[in-house]
Amino acid sequence: MRFALSPVAARLASVFVLTTAMGSAHAAFELIGIGSLSGASDLSGLTGTLESGVAANVLGGMGSGLAWAGGNTFLALPDRGPNATAYTGGAAVDNTTSYIARFNTLSMNVTAMPSAVPAGTLPYTVTPTMQSTTLLWSSTPLNYGSTAGLAGGAPTINADGKYYFTGRSDGFVAGGSGNPNNARLDPESIRVSKDGKSVFLSDEYGPYIYQFDRSTGERIRSFTLPTNLAATNQSAIGANEISGNTVGRVANKGMEGLAISPDGTKLYGIMQSALLQDGGDTSAGKTNRIVEIDIATGNTKEYAVSNQIGSKGYNNSDIVAINDHTLAFLPRDGKGLGDGTSAVVKQMWAIDLNGATDVSGLSGDAALQGQLLAKTQLVDFVALLKAAGFADTQIPAKLEGLSFGDDLVEGGVTYHTMLLANDNDFVPGVAGDNKFYMFRFTDADLLAKGVSGGLQMQTINAVPEPESYALALMGLGLIGLVRRRRA
């Protein structure tokens, strides 16, 4: 599959490329275009306001996760919703709200025209357009919060047999954080199934990995993850949850990234930081765990990767599969636009699973250090964005969503594309609009970085739209009518 360009656009691209080529040759992982999506509302159709007074259909945070869904279609994932606005009683739940978990379907159109941002220096303009918003729910009852001083945490649109997941942090019952009946969900990464009919989401509260029907939003499967990832004692206040546990994920730093293998048979979830028993989110926690899940059987394995860049550890944001044995993950700092500081580290590193050791039975950073996956830096996003004219204070602090896209043919050369999206925390006035940065690269670029096998894109079967089903049924009816007449 390839991003389609009109004949006129293709000619303009050729002129632009030939002009710029006189000054520079192709460089690995070039920034070629930027898309921006603004607006106040998504397409959920929700009305009313959340506990903080923010609209229930507020648009934002769409770059927490980003998934290619075939052609120019992408799924953009907000996290648990707005919690930057304090409200009466909100401190008891870290100012989270009953924002309903959802994903947005976008078309990502690529035009061979110089991008306006930064002015005229990029060969393509990327135009994301909202197509739909899908709310996520369970057909079985969920555990909602009932914190004193606050209204109950169950969404008012709940109905018998339809219980929506929300971001409010008190949506749980006592026990381990892996309980799939808890209503609280903080989605951080999304991938599309091979048949195109469902999506897989990873989250920070559990951590959880759920499978949802792509068209309806109904949860259809909950994967059983290793118990060493879950927190034993839960709390609606993140700081209390950290201090109240010695094992499991750090609060608000669960399974931040999720990849799916090119053949659609395996998932790979990466933890945002080291588990508490492995040192936690401190200088002692130098390794992050990656969980491999066989989709058919649910069987799991665990691998360990260093979170160190230089002499400092960094949290991870997302993970993608380059091919059947190579993954790439996205460590970053929290600096840049939205934080009021200068961005320093936003990078992509490759790891090879060939010969990897299952560390499921190991605990503690010292034990994991001897079984680390070797890693290779592929991209320094801060350097690329600064070279394109962005000040380090204008690079989003939370570049979190990572996805490959369709190939792009330019001057007879086929390039792979990759998109990087930001989480603006639902505060565009502070962290900017939802941005989508597009890069191009080749298999030769990967090989030059030590990654063999090239990029293997997942084959996603097309899912007919409702109108297509109607036409197909009509066609079948006509065929039957012709057969009957011939008989």
Side-chain angles (χ1 to χ4, degrees):
M1 295 294 292
R2 298 172 178 173
F3 282 111
L5 301 176
S6 69
V8 174
R11 287 196 297 272
L12 288 169
S14 298
V15 172
F16 188 89
V17 171
L18 287 172
T19 302
T20 54
M22 291 187 292
S24 63
H26 162 69
F29 294 98
E30 292 177 289
L31 176 67
I32 61 170
I34 302 171
S36 183
L37 186 62
S38 59
S41 306
D42 61 24
L43 300 179
S44 63
L46 294 173
T47 59
T49 59
L50 304 170
E51 292 89 333
S52 59
V54 175
N57 65 348
V58 61
L59 179 70
M62 295 174 62
S64 285
L66 185 68
W68 180 67
N72 69 344
T73 301
F74 288 81
L75 307 183
L77 182 72
D79 57 17
R80 64 181 176 176
N83 68 322
T85 302
Y87 61 92
T88 302
V93 291
D94 281 344
N95 291 311
T96 55
T97 66
S98 52
Y99 173 87
I100 295 175
R102 66 200 71 182
F103 65 84
N104 297 297
T105 300
L106 312 177
S107 62
M108 202 76 67
N109 294 313
V110 181
T111 307
M113 294 287 286
S115 175
V117 182
T121 60
L122 302 177
Y124 293 94
T125 293
V126 180
T127 306
T129 304
M130 288 278 291
Q131 299 297 327
S132 64
T133 300
T134 304
L135 303 178
L136 304 178
W137 52 279
S138 167
S139 60
T140 56
L142 300 174
N143 303 312
Y144 295 98
S146 57
T147 298
L150 296 177
T156 57
I157 66 168
N158 274 6
D160 187 31
K162 205 166 191 178
Y163 308 91
Y164 290 92
F165 293 93
T166 85
R168 212 169 96 169
S169 62
D170 60 351
F172 64 89
V173 292
S177 65
N179 185 345
N181 295 320
N182 288 340
R184 65 177 188 173
L185 188 67
D186 187 356
E188 292 293 347
S189 193
I190 182 170
R191 300 297 166 199
V192 180
S193 64
K194 183 178 178 62
D195 64 9
K197 296 180 180 180
S198 62
V199 297
F200 303 97
L201 269 68
S202 67
D203 125 294
E204 293 196 316
Y205 277 134
Y208 303 116
I209 294 181
Y210 293 150
Q211 184 175 6
F212 292 89
D213 184 288
R214 181 176 160 192
S215 61
T216 67
E218 179 185 4
R219 182 177 64 180
I220 55 179
R221 185 177 180 184
S222 175
F223 289 86
T224 301
L225 298 179
T227 56
N228 61 349
L229 307 181
T232 305
N233 301 301
Q234 301 174 88
S235 173
I237 300 175
N240 293 346
E241 200 166 69
I242 294 173
S243 62
N245 289 284
T246 57
V247 298
R249 52 102 179 111
V250 173
N252 302 323
K253 294 188 176 180
M255 194 164 280
E256 185 77 8
L258 187 67
I260 187 167
S261 61
D263 64 4
T265 64
K266 293 180 181 178
L267 297 170
Y268 297 92
I270 189 168
M271 304 301 290
Q272 184 173 358
S273 71
L275 301 180
L276 290 168
Q277 64 267 36
D278 298 334
D281 197 27
T282 69
S283 59
K286 295 180 171 60
T287 54
N288 290 12
R289 292 183 186 243
I290 296 172
V291 181
E292 176 186 288
I293 305 105
D294 183 287
I295 294 175
T297 66
N299 294 337
T300 64
K301 295 179 180 178
E302 295 180 49
Y303 307 116
V305 63
S306 170
N307 60 30
Q308 302 290 295
I309 298 177
S311 59
K312 186 176 179 181
Y314 290 90
N315 289 165
N316 176 73
S317 278
D318 212 348
I319 190 168
V320 289
I322 293 178
N323 51 47
D324 60 5
H325 61 91
T326 310
L327 305 175
F329 68 107
L330 179 63
R332 65 164 179 84
D333 58 18
K335 300 181 181 298
L337 182 63
D339 184 60
T341 57
S342 298
V344 179
V345 173
K346 327 281 182 188
Q347 300 178 1
M348 186 169 78
W349 292 72
I351 48 180
D352 196 324
L353 297 178
N354 284 332
T357 301
D358 185 352
V359 299
S360 300
L362 302 181
S363 185
D365 185 73
L368 297 176
Q369 283 295 314
Q371 306 298 338
L372 294 180
L373 295 167
K375 66 178 186 178
T376 303
Q377 184 180 334
L378 293 180
V379 189
D380 183 336
F381 291 112
V382 171
L384 287 181
L385 291 171
K386 288 176 69 173
F390 287 89
D392 49 19
T393 55
Q394 294 302 304
I395 298 172
K398 292 187 174 182
L399 288 172
E400 296 188 354
L402 189 63
S403 175
F404 296 117
D406 259 352
D407 285 346
L408 189 66
V409 178
E410 187 179 281
V413 178
T414 299
Y415 293 94
H416 302 308
T417 63
M418 178 174 69
L419 284 103
L420 178 65
N422 71 312
D423 171 10
N424 69 357
D425 280 339
F426 297 86
V427 284
V430 176
D433 290 333
N434 302 286
K435 287 284 197 300
F436 303 89
Y437 301 87
M438 178 174 279
F439 303 84
R440 68 179 178 189
F441 64 99
T442 65
D443 285 343
D445 295 328
L446 292 174
L447 190 59
K449 296 284 187 177
V451 176
S452 62
L455 177 66
Q456 298 172 7
M457 287 292 288
Q458 182 187 11
T459 300
I460 298 174
N461 296 336
V463 178
E465 298 297 327
E467 294 82 358
S468 300
Y469 280 119
L471 289 172
L473 290 172
M474 185 182 296
L476 289 173
L478 290 173
I479 291 170
L481 179 61
V482 170
R483 285 177 176 171
R484 284 193 297 273
R485 284 180 175 174
R486 286 179 177 173

